Amino acid sequence: ASAVGDVGSIVVGDALRFYISVSGGKITQAKFQVFNCADQVASSSALTEVVVGKTFAEAKQLGPQEICAH
């Protein structure tokens, strides 16, 4: 992965780890791990599909509406 992001805390409870690979300025792969929070699986999976092919700046602009629309 070119970058890894963590949200939440495994110690406290729910956590999400998101991985992206970047090549040529675009996100080429996106993967995730969910810890103790099954309801994050669907939205995280949708996000992996939406961000591939976008630049990092484009991906940062995504919000709940774009994920729900997917």
Side-chain angles (χ1 to χ4, degrees):
S2 304
V4 178
D6 290 317
V7 178
S9 170
I10 294 172
V11 175
V12 176
D14 304 339
L16 168 70
R17 180 168 287 158
F18 201 76
Y19 306 88
I20 60 170
S21 294
V22 179
S23 180
K26 299 225 179 209
I27 298 170
T28 56
Q29 286 188 45
K31 299 182 187 243
F32 68 95
Q33 287 180 298
V34 172
F35 304 94
N36 301 324
C37 193
D39 60 339
Q40 292 180 2
V41 173
S43 59
S44 299
S45 180
L47 182 61
T48 62
E49 295 176 7
V50 172
V51 298
V52 171
K54 296 194 180 315
T55 65
F56 187 69
E58 291 169 335
K60 281 178 55 176
Q61 299 301 315
L62 293 171
Q65 293 174 327
E66 290 80 15
I67 303 304
C68 290
H70 178 71

